[in-house]
Structure formats: C-alpha cells, structure tokens
C-alpha cells in the first residue's frame, strides 16, 4: 500500500483570512505559531512574508495576527542565528594589522542591518564583536565600545520614545480635602489640583426618568451583525412589532462546512437581505450602525432594487479625555448611539441567553432558526405592556391596527416623559455629560472633562458643544450644572 501523502491535498487553494482582530491567545494562533516556528533553524534565511502567509495554519490568522506572528518569527530567527559558541576574545590579534575595519564602522553596520533586534547585553555584544576583524579595538575597553554600541542602537528609528514633559510634579494629586491637608507644606504654598470634574453620575436614575422609547414608521427595521464563534449572522428587527429575522453570512461548504472569508462585506449583507425578503420581510426603512459592510452600501442602488431607504444611525464619542492627554484624544473613536440601536442590542443578548438555556455552544443555522421562531411566537413583555394584554411579535406583525395602537402608546409615553419637570434644557444651559466607556481604553472620569453648553434639540436628543466638539446626546446622559446665581434669583422670586 502506498504511503499516505502528508500535508494539504493537491490543487486545493488555501484561502487567506484578511479579517482583523488582535486575539493572540486563541488556539488557531498557537497552532500557527508552532507551524512557523518549526521553520526556525540556526543559520537559515528568513522566510519571506508571502511564503509564510501561504502556510496552511498561518493562512487562517487575520492580517493583524499574522503581522504580530511574523515579527515574532523574524526576531526569533535572528536571535538563533546570533547564538554562536563562545570562545576566548582575540582582539589583540585583530589589531596587529591595519587591514581590518574600525570598531565604529562594524558597530554601526551591525546596528543598521538589524533595526528590529533587541538591545544586546554586554556578554552578547562581546560574543558578536569577537567575530569582527578590526584595527582599533585595543584603543578602548570593551565597556567603552559597548557604550558606543548602545548610543548607535538608540539612534535607530523606533528604539526610543520622545516624551513631552507636562504636568506639575509638586502639585498635590489628591482631590479629597483631608489628603490635601495632610500633604500640604507648612507655609501652605504647595499647589493643589484644580480637577473639579464630578466623580458621580446617576445614570440609572436619569434613565428611569428621561429615557425615550424608539418608535418609527411602519416597516422600519434595524440591522446588525451577530458573531457566533466563526459564524456571522445578519440580524434584522422591526422597530414597532419586534418581529425578528436572522440570516447566516457564511457560505455553506459541503455538508457541515462554512466558509470563513468575505463575511463582513456589502455583497454578503445584500445576499442575506435578499433571503429575508424572500421569507416575507416587508421593509421600507433600514437603519444600521457603522459596520463597514453597512456604510459602503450604495443607498441609491438599494432604493432602486428594493425600494428601501437606508440610513446610518447617529454616533457618539467614546471616552472623552482632557486636552492635555493628547495621545488618548488622537485615538478617540465613535460608537453608534445605543438609544437608536438599543432594541437590536437587547434582542441579540436575548438570543445568546436562549442559546445558553438550551446548552448550545455554537449557534448553528438550525438552532438560530428555532430560536428566532420561538422569539417571534412568545409573548413580548414591552409589547404586552403597551397593548394592555399578552401579545407576541407575530401578533403585532400580522395586525396593522394593533401596531398603530402600540405606536400611539409609545408616542404618548414619550410625550409624558418630555413634559415632566427637569426634562427641558434651554439653549445656553451648562451641563455635565456622561462619559461613554470605551472597552479598549481606560476612561479617567465618569463625566466628560470640560465645559459643555446646550445649543439645540432635535428628535429626542440635545446638541451639546464644548472642548472643540459638537455632540448629540440623549437627555438621560445629561445633568444640568448647578448655577447658584440662577438658584438665588429663583429663591428671591419665590419669597
């Protein structure tokens, strides 16, 4: 019997994953690392990135993971190539002739050819320099040559970080009065921090009082992408009826296989939307977040092909920092306004909870279809409260009169919220703004630092201006600042 051929089958192309993400603790990353590290041999040439990317398990990594792994591999191969057996130095013999290069030239050449290397220790530098044929080693000690090496090493781009010195190290950094008192010097001249940004914001209480509930024209849907391990789903929910659709973005391969490439693209989203419409989805207005696949949708084409008006939801800033934190402000990003996408965020959490309840590790298409069917047929708490009796999304979807009644109830409830004392904020009002949490960065305060003023109001959100930013913020994420002059006037007027 002929021996079984090892490796990948012939004529089967390897599909390179061009996605993004930074997770380097995954099983796939570990397998890929072992595959590439097996090519590390003392004295071997570095494998070009194109050849490394074509390895079976390395191809499964996304572009960010591959860049991290390839840099690791290059450094490891260079490190192995530099690990030569130690032998006694023989610099004196090298210095007998003037035919050798200068130490300065050899050090400079070594550093320039290895821009990604780590700094050598004195012992490592001694082993490397022992191989050079130089004419002036004996003019300085090994320690002095090592200092020259370090100087040239740190002149390489990327080896040093220039830091602008800011702040006042003599200033007392605590905000509490008792700590300031304990650290103050005898003549009371030590400066104290002027940070007066509030450290509390009762978001839960504000949300209960001032949050508005979303309503829309009939046949308005919200869409988002739901991630289930390697499977991605397009989720669509009717704003008014809460009727749910879900379609897989992965292409089916064989009996139980699903392709991993070309998932978050406009084409894949439109294909999933086609399937939803075939299943009876009646949509006239479509709202999505900042997903690349959504933002690149041709609005005119989708209007012509489906008769759908597509819009992106408003966005808010995440993690506002004071002006002196320049680097953090440059990395500041935005996120979809969750009072616009709150409905679809909640339904995705509900689907995950349902999958957990039935002990499903991965939500396969068969399981997703069953969960969606159960969700649509089960009584819905919010809809039932608005209708005054137990109703499901299917009930409301199939009864236009019931949908109209629920819309009127939401509008009435929102009117009651906006009519209560404290909701209305006038133009020019100074406010504290809730500081949204960015999961990739550490916010320093729960309230945005700086001075912010109300400049307008439209469609349930206030326009806020300050610190060079114009933001649209819902009322429950704003807290009027106490203006004592105004309060004293009101007390005098009431008396």
């Amino acid at each position: 019997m002929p021996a079984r051929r090892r490796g990948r089958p012939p004529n089967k192309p390897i599909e390179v994953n061009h996605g993004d993400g930074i997770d380097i603790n995954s099983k796939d990353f570990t397998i890929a690392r072992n595959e590439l590290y097996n090519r590390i041999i003392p004295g071997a040439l570095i494998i070009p990135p194109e050849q490394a990317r074509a390895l079976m398990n390395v191809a499964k990594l996304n572009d960010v993971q591959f860049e991290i792994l390839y840099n690791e591999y290059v450094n490891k191969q260079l490190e192995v190539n530099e690990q030569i057996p130690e032998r006694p130095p023989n610099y004196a013999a090298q210095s007998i002739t003037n035919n050798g290069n200068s130490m300065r030239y050899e050090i400079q050449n070594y550093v320039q050819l290895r821009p990604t290397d780590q700094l050598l220790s004195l012992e490592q530098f001694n082993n490397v320099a022992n191989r050079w044929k130089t004419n002036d080693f004996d003019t300085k000690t090994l320690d002095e040559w090592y200092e020259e090496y370090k100087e040239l090493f740190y002149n390489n781009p990327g080896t040093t970080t220039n830091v602008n010195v800011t702040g006042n190290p003599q200033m007392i950094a605590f905000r509490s009065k008792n700590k300031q008192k304990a650290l103050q010097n005898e003549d009371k001249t030590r400066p104290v921090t002027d940070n007066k940004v509030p450290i509390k914001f009762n978001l839960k209480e504000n949300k209960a009082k001032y949050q508005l509930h979303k309503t829309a024209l009939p046949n308005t849907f919200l869409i988002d992408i739901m991630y289930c391990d390697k499977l991605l789903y397009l989720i669509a929910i009717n704003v008014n009826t809460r009727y749910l659709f879900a379609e897989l973005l992965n292409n089916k391969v064989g009996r139980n296989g699903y392709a991993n490439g070309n998932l978050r693209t406009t084409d894949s989203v439109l294909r999933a939307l086609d399937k939803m419409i075939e299943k009876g989805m009646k949509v006239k207005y479509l709202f999505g977040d900042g997903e690349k696949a959504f933002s690149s949708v041709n609005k005119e084409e989708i209007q012509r092909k489906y008769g759908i008006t597509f819009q992106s939801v408003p966005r808010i800033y995440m993690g506002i920092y004071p002006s002196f934190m320049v680097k953090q402000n440059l990395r500041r990003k935005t996120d979809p306004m969750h009072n616009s996408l709150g409905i679809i965020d909640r339904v995705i959490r509900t689907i995950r909870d349902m999958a957990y309840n039935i002990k499903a590790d991965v939500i396969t298409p068969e399981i997703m279809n069953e969960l969606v069917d159960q969700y649509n047929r089960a009584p819905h708490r919010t809809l039932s409260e608005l209708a005054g009796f137990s109703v499901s999304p299917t009930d409301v979807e199939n009864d236009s009169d019931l949908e109209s009644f629920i819309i009127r109830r939401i509008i009435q409830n929102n009117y009651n919220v906006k009519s209560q004392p404290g909701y209305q904020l006038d133009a020019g009002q100074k406010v504290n703004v809730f500081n949204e949490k960015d999961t990739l960065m550490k916010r320093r305060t729960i309230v945005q630092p700086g001075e912010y003023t109300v400049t307008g109001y439209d469609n349930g959100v206030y326009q806020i201006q300050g610190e060079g930013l114009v933001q649209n913020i819902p009322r429950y994420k704003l807290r009027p600042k106490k203006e004592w002059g105004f309060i004293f006037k009101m007390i005098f007027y009431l008396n």
Side-chain angles (χ1 to χ4, degrees):
M1 179 182 293
R4 178 181 294 178
R5 184 175 178 179
R6 300 183 64 186
R8 60 186 176 90
N11 303 324
K12 183 178 180 181
I14 292 179
E15 185 175 2
V16 176
N17 176 16
H18 291 296
D20 53 20
I22 310 178
D23 183 17
I24 61 173
N25 297 315
S26 66
K27 183 178 179 181
D28 287 346
F29 190 93
T30 302
I31 294 172
R33 176 187 276 148
N34 292 336
E35 183 179 38
L36 189 54
Y37 273 28
N38 285 337
R39 270 88 175 157
I40 296 176
I41 302 171
L45 296 176
I46 293 173
I47 299 173
E50 298 80 12
Q51 185 178 339
R53 196 68 167 117
L55 295 174
M56 180 183 298
N57 294 300
V58 176
K60 297 178 182 178
L61 303 181
N62 61 52
D63 291 341
V64 177
Q65 292 172 321
F66 171 72
E67 184 178 351
I68 294 172
L69 176 58
Y70 187 75
N71 286 335
E72 286 183 11
Y73 155 74
V74 170
N75 290 332
K76 197 73 175 177
Q77 182 67 68
L78 290 172
E79 179 183 337
V80 169
N81 288 348
E82 290 299 333
Q83 289 177 352
I84 61 173
E86 291 187 26
R87 57 182 182 272
N90 192 20
Y91 299 114
Q94 297 177 26
S95 299
I96 293 174
T97 173
N98 289 328
N99 293 332
N101 294 320
S102 69
M103 278 291 292
R104 180 81 178 181
Y105 169 83
E106 292 288 358
I107 294 172
Q108 191 168 20
N109 187 56
Y110 179 87
V111 169
Q112 289 178 348
L113 291 177
R114 294 165 177 79
T116 61
D117 273 16
Q118 300 294 318
L119 180 71
L120 298 177
S121 67
L122 177 62
E123 183 179 3
Q124 290 171 328
F125 174 75
N126 183 31
N127 290 335
V128 171
N130 187 32
R131 293 179 295 163
W132 297 336
K133 191 172 184 180
T134 61
N135 56 41
D136 61 349
F137 175 82
D138 50 1
T139 61
K140 292 184 180 181
T141 66
L142 177 63
D143 288 336
E144 290 173 330
W145 286 125
Y146 182 63
E147 289 302 316
E148 284 207 30
Y149 157 72
K150 287 198 297 183
E151 178 187 351
L152 291 171
F153 174 86
Y154 286 121
N155 283 334
N156 252 355
T159 57
T160 58
T161 300
N162 293 323
V163 178
N164 294 324
V165 179
T166 60
N168 182 354
Q170 298 302 315
M171 181 179 289
I172 298 176
F174 288 104
R175 295 176 61 174
S176 66
K177 297 299 182 182
N178 63 325
K179 291 183 179 180
Q180 290 177 355
K181 182 178 179 180
L183 296 172
Q184 188 57 268
N185 52 26
E186 292 183 2
D187 58 3
K188 313 273 187 211
T189 57
R190 190 174 182 185
V192 176
T193 178
D194 60 354
N195 181 11
K196 305 298 182 184
V197 178
I199 59 175
K200 294 181 180 179
F201 192 105
N202 199 334
L203 185 66
K204 187 175 181 180
E205 179 182 319
N206 257 21
K207 200 170 185 178
K209 289 174 62 178
Y210 299 131
Q211 186 179 25
L212 302 177
H213 293 280
K214 187 169 181 61
T215 186
L217 294 171
N219 302 320
T220 298
F221 279 78
L222 300 173
I223 59 173
D224 201 358
I225 292 178
M226 178 178 175
Y227 296 77
C228 304
D229 194 31
K230 300 291 185 179
L231 302 182
L232 273 65
Y233 292 91
L234 180 68
I235 304 295
I237 188 169
N238 189 309
V239 173
N240 298 324
T241 70
R242 304 299 200 269
Y243 196 81
L244 182 64
F245 290 89
E247 282 297 332
L248 186 69
L249 295 177
N250 306 66
N251 287 324
K252 188 78 178 289
V253 180
R255 184 176 179 182
N256 294 315
Y258 298 93
N260 293 330
N262 300 319
L263 300 182
R264 294 167 54 194
T265 64
T266 302
D267 288 341
S268 65
V269 168
L270 293 181
R271 283 197 302 269
L273 188 60
D274 273 331
K275 294 178 182 177
M276 292 178 177
I277 292 174
E278 289 174 5
K279 291 182 178 180
M281 177 182 176
K282 299 175 183 178
V283 52
K284 291 184 179 180
Y285 307 96
L286 202 59
F287 289 83
D289 66 6
E291 274 280 351
K292 184 178 179 181
F294 299 161
S295 59
S296 59
V297 166
N298 186 317
K299 310 298 188 298
E300 294 180 1
E301 181 182 350
I302 201 172
Q303 173 70 45
R304 176 183 55 78
K305 183 176 180 181
Y306 302 101
I308 296 172
T309 300
F310 184 90
Q311 296 181 22
S312 297
V313 300
R315 301 182 70 84
I316 57 176
Y317 288 102
M318 306 294 290
I320 297 294
Y321 291 84
S323 57
F324 65 83
M325 299 182 75
V326 178
K327 181 184 292 187
Q328 287 81 352
N329 279 321
L330 289 175
R331 293 167 58 193
R332 183 172 56 217
K333 68 173 188 176
T334 62
D335 224 30
M337 188 181 294
H338 287 287
N339 67 319
S340 298
L341 286 180
I343 294 172
I344 201 164
D345 289 342
R346 287 192 295 274
V347 77
I348 289 176
R349 288 197 301 269
T350 299
I351 293 172
R352 295 193 190 281
D353 290 341
M354 294 170 70
Y356 176 83
N357 293 338
I358 65 171
K359 299 179 172 60
D361 180 26
V362 177
I363 303 178
T364 63
E366 294 77 14
I367 291 176
M368 178 62 83
N369 290 338
E370 175 61 26
L371 296 180
V372 168
D373 181 66
Q374 290 187 28
Y375 179 89
N376 286 334
R377 292 189 297 110
H380 191 284
R381 182 176 62 83
T382 300
L383 294 176
S384 299
E385 289 176 356
L386 292 168
F389 57 93
S390 180
V391 295
S392 68
T394 299
D395 295 330
V396 184
E397 180 74 10
N398 294 331
D399 189 339
S400 59
D401 291 337
L402 180 56
E403 179 184 355
S404 298
F405 176 77
I406 288 174
I407 292 173
R408 291 196 300 271
R409 286 293 306 275
I410 295 175
I411 293 173
Q412 179 63 50
N413 290 344
N414 286 344
Y415 175 80
N416 294 338
V417 170
K418 290 186 284 187
S419 299
Q420 65 181 318
Y423 180 90
Q424 186 68 40
L425 299 176
D426 297 326
Q429 170 74 56
K430 303 291 185 183
V431 291
N432 290 319
V433 184
F434 180 75
N435 202 7
E436 298 288 344
K437 186 175 183 180
D438 183 353
T439 55
L440 298 179
M441 298 173 68
K442 180 68 175 177
R443 65 178 178 185
R444 301 307 329 162
T445 57
I446 199 170
V447 174
Q448 291 187 19
E451 295 291 328
Y452 298 92
T453 305
V454 174
T455 57
Y457 178 83
D458 181 51
N459 198 26
V461 294
Y462 283 91
Q463 187 181 78
I464 308 300
Q465 191 165 350
E467 304 303 306
L469 300 173
V470 176
Q471 306 178 65
N472 293 311
I473 308 291
R475 172 64 182 85
Y476 71 92
K477 294 184 178 180
L478 301 173
R479 188 177 65 191
K481 280 192 172 182
K482 294 179 180 179
E483 299 182 79
W484 293 110
F486 174 77
I487 294 174
F488 289 145
K489 287 181 182 179
M490 289 298 297
I491 294 174
F492 177 80
Y493 173 78
L494 293 173
N495 289 334

